[in-house]
Amino acid sequence: MSQEEEKKEPKWYVVHTYSGYENKVKKDLENTVKNRELEDYFFDIVVPMEEQIEIKDGKRKTNIKKVFPGYVLIKMIVTEESWYIVRNTRGVTGFVGSGTDPIPLTDEEIRNMGFDEVPINIDYDINDNVQILNGPLEGFVGIVQEINKEKNKVRVLVSMFGRETPVELEFSQVQKL
């Protein structure tokens, strides 16, 4: 294995499968990874599911449903071997991407799916002065009061119409002065 391959960071990739084969692909891949001792290249294999509440005849029923039928998400380091193993797993039709190279999901796509937390690094702290970059208060300056990393929100105290008003914003909406 080349040094270049060793330095690669694991990324999330989307694999297309035959409909109904998602869980089988996940199980088969997990077995192959274990049998071939490739745990250093495969970090997570996910069939995204969500709970759906259905009310039928006045009765509440909870179903678990696939979020992306026909797709499996894999956090892996792509090497010739790992790529070959995924491609040749029964039920897999290929990686989602253009041509032969699998294209990893962007941090924003991963965040939007909500199945893997991607930390957002912020360079401001409580009591720092920040400027609002967009939205109705664009250009306003305020003081950071609270930082909520779980929700990626920041509460900023902004002086409007002669009084201090707390405003909740996304991390990306403010920048340190």
Side-chain angles (χ1 to χ4, degrees), residues 11-83:
K11 289 187 167 44
W12 283 101
Y13 295 89
V14 180
V15 175
H16 193 260
T17 68
Y18 292 123
S19 187
Y21 274 72
E22 303 88 353
N23 290 324
K24 185 165 180 21
V25 165
K26 173 181 163 67
K27 195 173 166 211
D28 289 353
L29 257 175
E30 286 170 343
N31 288 339
T32 303
V33 167
K34 195 174 175 187
N35 292 340
R36 296 199 184 182
E37 297 179 353
L38 293 169
E39 289 90 345
D40 292 345
Y41 299 97
F42 291 88
F43 297 85
D44 208 352
I45 301 169
V46 179
V47 178
M49 307 290 258
E50 69 182 357
E51 262 188 22
Q52 222 174 18
I53 295 168
E54 192 179 312
I55 297 173
K56 200 172 185 178
D57 302 327
K59 290 188 178 137
R60 189 183 160 115
K61 186 180 169 192
T62 304
N63 293 327
I64 295 198
K65 194 177 165 204
K66 291 179 185 117
V67 180
F68 308 113
Y71 295 95
V72 175
L73 302 162
I74 304 173
K75 187 174 192 174
M76 63 184 279
I77 295 173
V78 173
T79 63
E80 283 295 321
E81 187 180 13
S82 67
W83 187 61

Side-chain angles (χ1 to χ4, degrees), residues 10-15 48 68 71-76 95-97 102-116 118:
K11 289 187 167 44
W12 283 101
Y13 295 89
V14 180
V15 175
F68 308 113
Y71 295 95
V72 175
L73 302 162
I74 304 173
K75 187 174 192 174
M76 63 184 279
F95 278 91
V96 173
I103 297 174
L105 293 171
T106 64
D107 287 351
E108 188 179 353
E109 287 168 330
I110 294 164
R111 250 194 310 279
N112 290 341
M113 287 182 199
F115 71 88
D116 188 28
V118 177

